[in-house]
């Protein structure tokens, strides 16, 4: 479930940044995409390690990527790159949900 939500966030992010200025493609746009992709990628890698301690570590990395993504999206809004505020709000809500899900699941691995 947390992996699927991560994939959804990536999809929403790619749709959002498609309208960013083309001269940002190798700057903030690229950073935002990398942070978004990092979330489900690290969840998958942690799962693939087949050990709770490793999985917990990669969940922590995923959570960090969520905070990074949130920060970058706020920067993009402040720079005027985001034209569709409702899309941004949807992504930010997905980030909050994903973070809560990761926190909850992570606790089960550590107990």
């Amino acid at each position: 479930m947390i992996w699927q939500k991560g994939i959804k966030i990536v999809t929403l992010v790619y749709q959002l940044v498609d309208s960013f200025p083309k001269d940002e493609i190798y700057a903030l746009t690229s950073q935002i995409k990398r942070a978004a992709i990092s979330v489900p990628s690290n969840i998958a890698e942690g799962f693939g390690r087949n050990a709770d301690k490793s999985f917990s570590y990669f969940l922590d990395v995923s959570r960090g990527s969520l905070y990074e993504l949130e920060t970058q999206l706020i920067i993009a809004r402040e720079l005027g790159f985001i034209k569709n505020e409702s899309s941004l709000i949807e992504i930010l809500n997905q980030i909050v949900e994903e973070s809560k899900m990761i926190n909850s699941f992570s606790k089960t691995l550590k107990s």
Side-chain angles (χ1 to χ4, degrees):
M1 185 73 159
I2 58 174
W3 178 81
Q4 290 93 338
K5 180 153 308 275
I7 296 294
K8 180 175 183 170
I9 290 170
V10 171
T11 303
L12 293 171
V13 162
Y14 266 72
Q15 292 168 355
L16 181 73
V17 301
D18 191 45
S19 65
F20 280 21
K22 296 306 171 207
D23 62 340
E24 278 297 315
I25 197 161
Y26 298 110
L28 190 56
T29 302
S30 179
Q31 286 290 110
I32 289 171
K33 287 178 175 181
R34 279 198 300 272
I37 290 168
S38 177
V39 175
S41 297
N42 277 292
I43 292 167
E45 185 170 356
F47 179 77
R49 297 289 175 116
N50 209 21
D52 287 353
K53 188 174 181 180
S54 288
F55 200 179
S56 181
Y57 167 78
F58 282 99
L59 288 174
D60 289 343
V61 173
S62 290
R63 188 175 29 251
S65 293
L66 284 171
Y67 288 116
E68 181 182 359
L69 175 59
E70 179 182 40
T71 299
Q72 293 164 349
L73 290 171
I74 291 167
I75 291 167
R77 180 198 312 159
E78 294 297 314
L79 293 172
F81 296 163
I82 296 177
K83 306 300 180 210
N84 188 337
E85 186 74 15
S86 64
S87 292
L88 173 64
I89 291 168
E90 180 181 4
I91 295 170
L92 294 175
N93 288 335
Q94 293 290 324
I95 288 171
V96 169
E97 286 179 29
E98 179 77 323
S99 183
K100 288 178 183 177
M101 291 168 64
I102 289 172
N103 287 340
S104 179
F105 187 64
S106 187
K107 286 178 187 174
T108 66
L109 293 175
K110 293 176 181 175
S111 55

